[in-house]
Amino acid sequence: RYPVTNVEPSMYLGAISELLAGTIVLCFIITWFHDCVTGTNKLWDNPIHNMVGYNNPCAFWDQPPALYFAFLAFCPMVYLAIRYAHLDSLRAKLELAQTRSTHAISAINWLYAASQCIVMGIFVVTPMVSMAEDPKPEDVEKMHYHMRLHSAFFLQLVPCLCLAIVANYYEAYKIGRQSLST
């Protein structure tokens, strides 16, 4: 049905996932190497681990020098998300003809692209570290505010990505169903 040179928009989602996995691994290595060279312990003594009791991948890039690499590594992900939104919306319009479904799919695609832009906020609002042995209550509240805002920048991506994936399944279902009826 499609020529061999066809580029599926979903390949852009796959590329984003691969870039993210590579970024996590490289940031872990950068942070581990930084800890070895400087004698610090950022892998286990960081705001995320201290607040929730375990690390998540964000702990690997929340502090310099991995923060600088991760910021640059996320930039292609934003570009790929925008490309995905454009191409998948175009494909939906071509395959499904102008229906309400195509408008919904397009809206979801662009919501996901915007979400990828918003997730870059994790590099602007990083978790705060208290330098004081016994921080004041207002300092603790400020640290919690930063952690909540930082988490919100990331967590908003999850439902948007899920919606994009569900829209892909719906689109594939509708396209497959139409081809069976013709």
Side-chain angles (χ1 to χ4, degrees):
R1 180 175 177 169
Y2 295 108
V4 177
T5 58
N6 182 48
V7 175
E8 281 291 315
S10 59
M11 292 174 72
Y12 287 92
L13 288 179
I16 292 168
S17 298
E18 291 168 6
L19 279 171
L20 180 61
T23 302
I24 290 169
V25 169
L26 287 173
C27 285
F28 173 83
I29 292 168
I30 291 168
T31 304
W32 175 80
F33 186 73
H34 182 267
D35 282 355
C36 290
V37 170
T38 62
T40 58
N41 192 15
K42 290 182 180 181
L43 283 177
W44 302 109
D45 186 17
N46 59 67
I48 291 176
H49 190 272
N50 295 343
M51 188 168 284
V52 297
Y54 59 88
N55 277 332
N56 66 25
C58 290
F60 307 147
W61 64 57
D62 277 345
Q63 300 174 46
L67 176 72
Y68 308 130
F69 169 78
F71 173 76
L72 292 173
F74 266 66
C75 290
M77 294 181 218
V78 172
Y79 168 76
L80 292 171
I82 293 168
R83 249 347 243 155
Y84 164 77
H86 175 252
L87 291 175
D88 194 59
S89 297
L90 183 61
R91 180 181 66 180
K93 287 176 185 170
L94 292 172
E95 294 280 353
L96 298 173
Q98 289 281 13
T99 63
R100 281 193 295 177
S101 296
T102 61
H103 299 299
I105 289 169
S106 184
I108 290 170
N109 287 339
W110 287 107
L111 174 69
Y112 171 68
S115 177
Q116 276 286 357
C117 294
I118 293 168
V119 81
M120 296 292 284
I122 65 174
F123 302 112
V124 177
V125 180
T126 57
M128 290 184 65
V129 179
S130 174
M131 297 301 166
E133 189 68 33
D134 188 23
K136 297 176 191 164
E138 57 269 9
D139 292 336
V140 171
E141 181 57 36
K142 191 173 181 181
M143 287 187 298
H144 285 173
Y145 174 78
H146 272 250
M147 183 62 80
R148 286 190 299 269
L149 187 57
H150 177 80
S151 297
F153 280 128
F154 175 74
L155 291 175
Q156 60 80 32
L157 179 67
V158 176
C160 295
L161 175 59
C162 289
L163 276 172
I165 292 170
V166 166
N168 265 338
Y169 278 110
Y170 176 78
E171 185 181 349
Y173 169 75
K174 291 298 278 185
I175 292 168
R177 184 178 175 108
Q178 284 182 353
S179 64
L180 289 176
S181 64
T182 56

